[in-house]
Amino acid sequence: MANKQSVLIKILIAIIVVLAIILLYIFLIRPGITGYTINKQNEAFGFAIVSIMQQAATCQPVPLSFGNQTMNIIAIDCLSQQQPVSQQPA
């Protein structure tokens, strides 16, 4: 009888340890990983925006594609620097 109680106590302790590990992961580890991921995604987003801005500042079209759509972006300052064809000296 004592042997069965000893085995039952060991099984219950093992279940408690497993549940404690699961709770530790859910409340401490996963939020840390998620926060790190979100920070890295924000950094990548900022890097992409700065890269597009730098390319557009060269007054060359910057192609942006999403799915099956492509759009060429150019800085509006570049458009105001160009003279219309009719005003160019001959």
Side-chain angles (χ1 to χ4, degrees):
M1 187 76 169
N3 192 21
K4 288 183 180 182
Q5 286 179 345
S6 174
V7 171
L8 181 62
I9 289 174
K10 289 179 182 180
I11 290 173
L12 290 175
I13 289 173
I15 291 172
I16 290 171
V17 168
V18 168
L19 290 175
I21 291 171
I22 290 171
L23 289 174
L24 180 71
Y25 174 77
I26 289 172
F27 291 111
L28 295 177
I29 298 171
R30 189 173 61 176
I33 293 171
T34 302
Y36 177 79
T37 302
I38 289 171
N39 286 342
K40 290 301 176 184
Q41 288 173 342
N42 288 338
E43 286 180 25
F45 177 76
F47 178 76
I49 295 297
V50 167
S51 176
I52 292 168
M53 291 172 65
Q54 288 173 341
Q55 289 178 13
T58 64
C59 295
Q60 298 295 321
V62 180
L64 298 179
S65 299
F66 183 76
N68 61 354
Q69 295 180 336
T70 299
M71 178 183 295
N72 288 315
I73 304 294
I74 190 164
I76 196 156
D77 294 340
C78 297
L79 297 176
S80 64
Q81 292 174 2
Q82 295 177 352
Q83 292 181 348
V85 177
S86 62
Q87 293 180 356
Q88 288 181 350

